[in-house]
């Protein structure tokens, strides 16, 4: 990949990959994958210190990423492939029988880049906190990043992990919430209601920043860097995004949380998203 390729161009290609993957599979979760594409572009192509050539599940001597919202696997797979963890052409096997690209990230097939199996919502932050503590104990100067869904923050284990992380002063842990206000059953505020999410995380002892322009990868990258400089506290970035961002008939609609586009809808969506790195 050219060093002159912008993060916005990378995010655009990741969105194309997601649409094509899920359309071909006939199942998957496009809405959140599209809303978080800019975050993944910022993380994997700007901020994270990672090297596909010597990556191991232990994530020793490099940063680690945990996808707590495991249903967003398509955008993670696209980011890993475009980063060089495995051939881009393998994206075409999403959700096929025997594929390494399962519907939710798993470790049983040995897919490079997957630190932890995920999909049962609420568990990823606990795993990330444990890895962050281990890196502290090993005196590793590396960070652990973890992506949550806003609907996922209704899970109790999230808040148990929040207490643990603050108690152990895990300033090498940076969590991100994809705050698109949609979950499978509707608007997040209508389902359970998160209230003042920033105040909640601060009350648990975290450094918190709201990122208003969560679908601008350059702004997200700057926020990630700021969070990485905080001392003695874990950080939470509340990234305000749009469900289905980049595709007009998906944008802001919770119905696209877990619905695959038809062949015709795939073409309508791709017509709105620039091809920047070449389709697989």
């Amino acid at each position: 990949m050219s060093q002159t390729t912008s993060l916005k161009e990378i995010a655009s290609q990741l969105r194309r990959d997601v649409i094509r993957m899920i359309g071909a599979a006939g199942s998957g979760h496009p809405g959140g994958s599209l809303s978080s594409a800019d975050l993944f572009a910022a993380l994997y192509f700007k901020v994270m210190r990672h090297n596909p050539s010597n990556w191991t599940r232990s994530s020793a001597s490099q940063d680690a990423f945990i996808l707590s919202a495991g249903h967003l696997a398509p955008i993670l797979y696209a980011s890993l492939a475009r980063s060089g963890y495995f051939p881009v052409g393998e994206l075409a096997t999403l959700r096929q029988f025997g594929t390494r690209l399962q519907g939710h990230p798993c470790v049983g097939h040995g897919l490079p880049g997957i630190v932890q199996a995920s999909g049962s919502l609420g568990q990823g932050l606990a795993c990330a906190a444990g890895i962050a503590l281990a890196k502290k104990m090993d005196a590793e100067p590396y960070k652990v990043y973890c992506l949550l869904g806003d609907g996922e923050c209704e899970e109790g284990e999230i808040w148990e992990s929040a207490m643990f992380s603050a108690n152990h002063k895990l300033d090498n842990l940076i969590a991100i919430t994809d705050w698109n206000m949609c979950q499978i059953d509707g608007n997040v505020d209508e389902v359970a209601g998160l209230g003042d999410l920033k105040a909640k995380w601060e009350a648990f002892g975290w450094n918190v920043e709201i990122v208003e322009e969560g679908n601008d990868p350059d702004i997200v990258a700057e926020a990630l860097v700021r969070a990485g400089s905080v001392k003695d506290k874990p950080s939470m970035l509340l990234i305000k995004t749009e469900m289905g961002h980049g595709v007009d008939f998906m944008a802001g609609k919770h119905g696209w949380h877990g619905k695959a586009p038809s062949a015709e809808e795939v073409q309508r969506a791709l017509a709105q998203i620039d091809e920047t790195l070449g389709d697989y």
Side-chain angles (χ1 to χ4, degrees), residues 15 30-38 178-182 212 214-215 239-248 250-253:
R15 287 190 168 93
S33 292
L34 295 176
S35 68
S36 60
D38 303 288
D178 182 30
W179 203 0
N180 60 34
M181 295 303 298
C182 292
E212 296 287 347
N215 287 127
I239 308 289
K240 288 191 175 182
T241 65
E242 179 183 50
M243 171 72 83
H245 186 77
V247 179
D248 59 5
M250 294 184 179
K253 298 178 180 178

Side-chain angles (χ1 to χ4, degrees), residues 25-72:
S27 64
H29 297 77
S33 292
L34 295 176
S35 68
S36 60
D38 303 288
L39 166 67
F40 277 89
L43 264 178
Y44 275 88
F45 299 90
K46 179 78 172 183
V47 178
M48 276 180 58
R49 295 168 294 176
H50 63 114
N51 186 347
S53 65
N54 64 4
W55 179 89
T56 63
R57 273 196 67 196
S58 71
S59 70
S61 301
Q62 53 185 298
D63 292 342
F65 174 75
I66 301 292
L67 179 62
S68 189
H71 57 282
L72 305 185

Side-chain angles (χ1 to χ4, degrees), residues 37-206:
D38 303 288
L39 166 67
F40 277 89
L43 264 178
Y44 275 88
F45 299 90
K46 179 78 172 183
V47 178
M48 276 180 58
R49 295 168 294 176
H50 63 114
N51 186 347
S53 65
N54 64 4
W55 179 89
T56 63
R57 273 196 67 196
S58 71
S59 70
S61 301
Q62 53 185 298
D63 292 342
F65 174 75
I66 301 292
L67 179 62
S68 189
H71 57 282
L72 305 185
I75 188 62
L76 173 59
Y77 295 153
S79 302
L80 291 173
R82 295 290 177 178
S83 297
Y85 282 85
F86 55 87
V88 172
E90 192 171 349
L91 295 176
T93 70
L94 177 72
R95 289 180 171 244
Q96 292 183 10
F97 183 76
T99 181
R100 299 196 296 178
L101 277 60
Q102 295 290 302
H104 293 73
C106 74
V107 297
H109 294 279
L111 184 68
I114 305 300
V115 173
Q116 178 66 36
S118 59
S120 296
L121 295 178
Q123 298 180 1
L125 186 59
C127 296
I131 296 169
L133 180 58
K135 286 186 178 295
K136 284 272 191 181
M137 295 172 69
D138 291 341
E140 276 199 25
Y142 294 95
K143 302 188 183 303
V144 182
Y145 298 87
C146 181
L147 178 62
L148 315 175
D150 49 3
E152 182 183 9
C153 291
E154 297 162 5
E155 296 278 356
E157 188 176 349
I158 294 291
W159 303 102
E160 296 174 38
S161 305
M163 288 187 289
F164 176 91
S165 302
N167 183 59
H168 290 279
K169 299 182 179 181
L170 299 181
D171 53 11
N172 60 338
L173 174 59
I174 300 172
I176 308 104
T177 298
D178 182 30
W179 203 0
N180 60 34
M181 295 303 298
C182 292
Q183 61 187 97
I184 192 168
D185 289 325
N187 183 281
V188 172
D189 283 343
E190 295 173 354
V191 175
L194 295 175
D196 190 334
L197 199 53
K198 182 175 187 290
K200 281 185 170 69
W201 283 101
E202 288 176 336
F204 276 78
W206 285 55

